[in-house]
Amino acid sequence: MNHNLATQLKQGTTKSHSMAENVMFVKSFLSGVISPVSYRKLIANLYFVYSAIEEEMYSNRYHECIAPIYFIELNRKESLEKDLCFFYGSNWQKQIKPSIATQIYVDRIHALGEHQPELLVAHAYTRYLGDLSGGQVLKNIAKKALRLEGNQGSEFYEFEQIEDETIFKHDYRKALDSIPMNNSLLHDIIAEANLAFSLNMKMFQELDSSLIKIMTGLLSTTLSHFRSRN
């Protein structure tokens, strides 16, 4: 029996998707207001998340639920390493660490990889299809806001091994639908996908705090400068 996992995931996470888009950091990003400090923190956090996802997907690549959607051309870790080198320099590994929310996210992925690998499907769906669907739009916004040239600092959005992203997304959804499924597992995967959105939102909300601090600092500096001149 085909449970149409791809469609069920899309419909079952509609509310979570909408909530994620309304987090202040995301809304600011989409409007072109991006703090370089917050953005490079985002890239660092994503590096830890994708490192965990790709490690566990690889470890479970022969699992019946993972094998159909295991596409190495989706891997983002190496692309993120290039971006981190651009933003932090060659010693970037000594400068970054996962935020609190990011570490919780990473721990969840590793726990699933060890005990419930079938639920990794939810995290792969949430991150990779999101990257493919909105990646080019986000790339253009980031490049304009941060004045990035070429692919410097935006390698994360480049899927060099995928010739046609529209065709690939269609094939990926077909692969999702081919995963052996029953009602119980379908329910668990949708619930995990909603949790994945929640974990992403908490990671973005931390960046909200950084953005607020930066904006407050800029406002304070501006006021001080204004007062000194009057």
Side-chain angles (χ1 to χ4, degrees):
M1 179 180 177
N2 190 334
H3 285 76
N4 297 311
L5 177 59
T7 300
Q8 294 283 352
L9 274 168
K10 183 177 181 179
Q11 294 176 348
T13 58
T14 300
K15 183 177 179 180
S16 293
H17 190 274
S18 177
M19 289 173 64
E21 288 183 333
N22 281 288
V23 173
M24 191 180 85
F25 176 81
V26 177
K27 290 177 72 173
S28 297
F29 193 118
L30 292 173
S31 65
V33 179
I34 306 172
S35 155
V37 174
S38 294
Y39 185 75
R40 72 177 196 168
K41 284 184 178 179
L42 171 65
I43 294 299
N45 287 337
L46 289 176
Y47 170 76
F48 292 109
V49 170
Y50 281 97
S51 294
I53 291 175
E54 287 161 20
E55 177 184 337
E56 297 302 341
M57 291 288 285
Y58 177 80
S59 296
N60 292 282
R61 64 193 182 281
Y62 298 121
H63 187 284
E64 64 177 358
C65 291
I66 302 302
I69 60 165
Y70 184 67
F71 297 99
I72 59 172
E73 52 264 53
L74 287 172
N75 286 356
R76 298 291 82 205
K77 182 181 176 182
E78 289 187 9
S79 297
L80 286 162
E81 288 175 349
K82 293 176 183 178
D83 288 340
L84 288 169
C85 188
F86 174 78
F87 286 113
Y88 288 92
S90 59
N91 66 338
W92 59 268
Q93 289 176 309
K94 296 181 180 179
Q95 298 185 58
I96 66 170
K97 64 179 181 179
S99 68
I100 294 173
T102 302
Q103 190 60 58
I104 293 171
Y105 194 170
V106 167
D107 290 345
R108 177 62 180 174
I109 292 165
H110 285 311
L112 293 179
E114 185 174 355
H115 302 293
Q116 293 177 288
E118 64 276 8
L119 298 187
L120 290 171
V121 171
H123 292 273
Y125 165 84
T126 302
R127 286 293 345 165
Y128 292 123
L129 267 191
D131 297 334
L132 283 170
S133 296
Q136 292 307 305
V137 172
L138 295 178
K139 172 188 172 182
N140 291 334
I141 293 173
K143 288 184 69 172
K144 183 177 180 180
L146 300 174
R147 298 178 181 177
L148 303 173
E149 297 183 0
N151 291 333
Q152 289 187 323
S154 60
E155 290 283 353
F156 170 64
Y157 305 105
E158 297 294 328
F159 290 85
E160 295 180 354
Q161 297 182 49
I162 297 176
E163 293 185 11
D164 189 312
E165 293 182 5
T166 300
I167 292 175
F168 187 90
K169 284 188 291 184
H170 175 73
D171 292 341
Y172 191 88
R173 293 188 181 100
K174 285 177 63 178
L176 281 169
D177 289 342
S178 74
I179 294 173
M181 193 63 50
N182 56 49
N183 290 334
S184 177
L185 180 56
L186 177 65
H187 175 273
D188 289 348
I189 289 176
I190 292 174
E192 189 66 30
N194 281 298
L195 175 60
F197 273 103
S198 177
L199 292 168
N200 276 280
M201 281 189 282
K202 288 175 181 177
M203 192 167 64
F204 295 146
Q205 285 164 352
E206 284 182 330
L207 294 169
D208 283 350
S209 299
S210 298
L211 184 60
I212 290 170
K213 288 177 183 177
I214 291 167
M215 291 174 69
T216 302
L218 288 172
L219 179 60
S220 177
T221 301
T222 301
L223 288 172
S224 296
H225 180 67
F226 176 79
R227 287 167 182 161
S228 68
R229 296 183 63 183
N230 291 274

